[in-house]
Amino acid sequence: MEDVSVYLFLGFLESGKTKFIQETLEDERMDSGENTVLLICEEGVEEFLPEKFSVRNVAVVTLESADELTEENLDKITRKYSAQRVIVEYNGTWLLQQFFDAMPESWVINQMMTFFDTGTFLNYNANMRQLVFDKIQMTQMVVFNRFKGEFAKEDFHKIVRGISRRPDIVYEYIGGKAEFDDIADPLPYDTEAPVIEIGDRDFAWFYRDMAENVQNYVGKTVRFKGMAAVSKKVPKGFIVLGRHIMTCCEADIAYDGFAVNCNGLLDGIATRDWLTVTAKINFEYNSVYRADGPVLSAIELTRSDPPEDIIATYY
């Protein structure tokens, strides 16, 4: 089968998904002549009005429960309507992985947007963090609907950026005015300093930026505190030094660290020892990664006390 373009719209009830999709399908410029399936995964307050669609050949299909979200069922829908394009209004309480697991091989995601009602977002983030994280982690755009001047953009910006630096952020005001987020995202440390000092609370940011932009660190010197890991899988003379990082919630806490060549500076290192390292950053093969990766060559290596907060976060 030919590839089927998928447009995935995420968010909770009353976040503005239905309105956006309805207006999109009313736009004559969206009428490409493709056979389109509008896949509705939740029963919202607003209903679609197919009679107002300018896009032709739209089949509206509703999934009543997550049990219907299977590859077999989605493939059946694709074939039944000869779908060339699928627009998905996804259920805010279903995890995104459920959708990915059910996608037929022919489906290719072209666009992913996430909508939030500004008035309820902070409460959702405080009480259903995992679902908020799930809807932001891979999206291309986050839209905060019904935004008012009384809200501080920084409160919303930092939550999104704590999850991902990838998506654009848009604030849509009551009345239709929309503004793109232009808040700068400086790192909480100076990457141009002779020695890049990573504060205890900043390790998660450092680890993520190193993973995404390692070329910005190669050849530089860094100092940070971490917990050692030693095993037979780590080459002789090396340790892994890192922290437990909580990206979303307690359920996803994981230890992440870097391969460090100790250069004989400290003996008797055991797993769970807390150390402070000053090291030059190289990019080369190491069996810790089973690939090329950031390998730190220690200049100084000393024992240290644990940080005040053992778990590193994106605060």
Side-chain angles (χ1 to χ4, degrees):
M1 294 181 63
E2 294 183 3
D3 286 346
V4 177
S5 298
V6 177
Y7 298 82
L8 188 57
F9 298 96
L10 311 172
F12 301 111
L13 283 172
E14 299 187 63
S15 61
K17 301 191 301 291
T18 302
K19 182 175 181 290
F20 183 87
I21 296 171
Q22 176 73 36
E23 292 176 350
T24 299
L25 292 173
E26 289 180 12
D27 189 339
E28 294 180 354
R29 293 171 297 180
M30 289 296 293
D31 187 18
S32 59
E34 294 176 304
N35 294 331
T36 301
V37 169
L38 172 56
L39 189 65
I40 303 171
C41 299
E42 66 183 2
E43 184 177 349
V45 176
E46 291 190 45
E47 295 185 358
F48 287 101
L49 302 173
E51 65 273 14
K52 291 189 176 183
F53 292 168
S54 294
V55 175
R56 297 163 293 173
N57 306 324
V58 178
V60 180
V61 179
T62 300
L63 300 185
E64 301 294 341
S65 73
D67 293 338
E68 298 179 65
L69 194 63
T70 65
E71 183 175 357
E72 180 182 7
N73 191 35
L74 296 185
D75 188 63
K76 181 179 178 180
I77 292 169
T78 304
R79 295 179 184 278
K80 178 177 179 179
Y81 297 102
S82 300
Q84 298 166 291
R85 175 172 61 185
V86 177
I87 297 173
V88 183
E89 183 185 42
Y90 199 59
N91 191 306
T93 64
W94 299 353
L95 293 176
L96 199 50
Q97 191 61 47
Q98 291 179 265
F99 182 80
F100 293 149
D101 290 342
M103 280 179 55
E105 290 186 9
S106 60
W107 285 25
V108 177
I109 295 178
N110 274 11
Q111 187 177 42
M112 191 183 305
M113 295 177 64
T114 300
F115 296 81
F116 293 109
D117 177 271
T118 306
T120 59
F121 173 74
L122 297 179
N123 186 52
Y124 273 122
N125 184 62
N127 295 288
M128 294 191 292
R129 171 69 174 172
Q130 184 179 11
L131 289 175
V132 170
F133 174 88
D134 186 64
K135 304 303 178 288
I136 292 177
Q137 60 177 326
M138 298 183 66
T139 195
Q140 296 162 310
M141 180 178 289
V142 175
V143 179
F144 289 107
N145 274 315
R146 309 176 188 100
F147 201 83
K148 301 177 183 178
E150 65 196 63
F151 294 116
K153 292 180 180 177
E154 290 79 5
D155 292 340
F156 300 86
H157 172 96
K158 70 180 182 181
I159 292 172
V160 175
R161 287 293 175 254
I163 296 171
S164 174
R165 293 187 173 227
R166 181 183 302 112
D168 291 323
I169 304 173
V170 178
Y171 306 97
E172 185 165 323
Y173 291 81
I174 296 174
K177 177 186 174 184
E179 290 181 350
F180 274 86
D181 184 290
D182 59 359
I183 299 173
D185 282 308
L187 291 165
Y189 49 85
D190 183 3
T191 59
E192 298 304 321
V195 177
I196 304 172
E197 297 279 358
I198 309 300
D200 289 347
R201 72 194 302 262
D202 299 330
F203 181 82
W205 290 104
F206 170 59
Y207 183 84
R208 171 177 287 175
D209 198 59
M210 176 85 89
E212 295 178 350
N213 302 291
V214 67
Q215 70 280 358
N216 295 338
Y217 293 88
V218 174
K220 296 183 178 181
T221 301
V222 67
R223 180 180 296 121
F224 66 90
K225 180 186 294 183
M227 187 175 71
V230 180
S231 76
K232 294 179 180 179
K233 297 180 180 179
V234 179
K236 186 177 181 180
F238 283 76
I239 62 171
V240 174
L241 194 64
R243 297 276 300 276
H244 284 92
I245 298 176
M246 182 172 71
T247 303
C248 163
C249 52
E250 291 185 3
D252 78 347
I253 294 174
Y255 177 83
D256 293 305
F258 304 105
V260 177
N261 186 341
C262 297
N263 289 321
L265 295 173
L266 193 63
D267 296 324
I269 299 172
T271 294
R272 298 191 178 276
D273 284 351
W274 284 93
L275 309 171
T276 296
V277 67
T278 303
K280 184 175 181 179
I281 303 170
N282 304 304
F283 187 76
E284 59 192 38
Y285 179 86
N286 192 282
S287 59
V288 167
Y289 309 119
R290 298 182 182 178
D292 290 343
V295 176
L296 280 56
S297 180
I299 300 169
E300 296 179 5
L301 190 61
T302 59
R303 298 186 184 277
S304 61
D305 295 326
E308 183 177 347
D309 295 316
I310 299 295
I311 305 300
T313 70
Y314 295 97
Y315 44 89

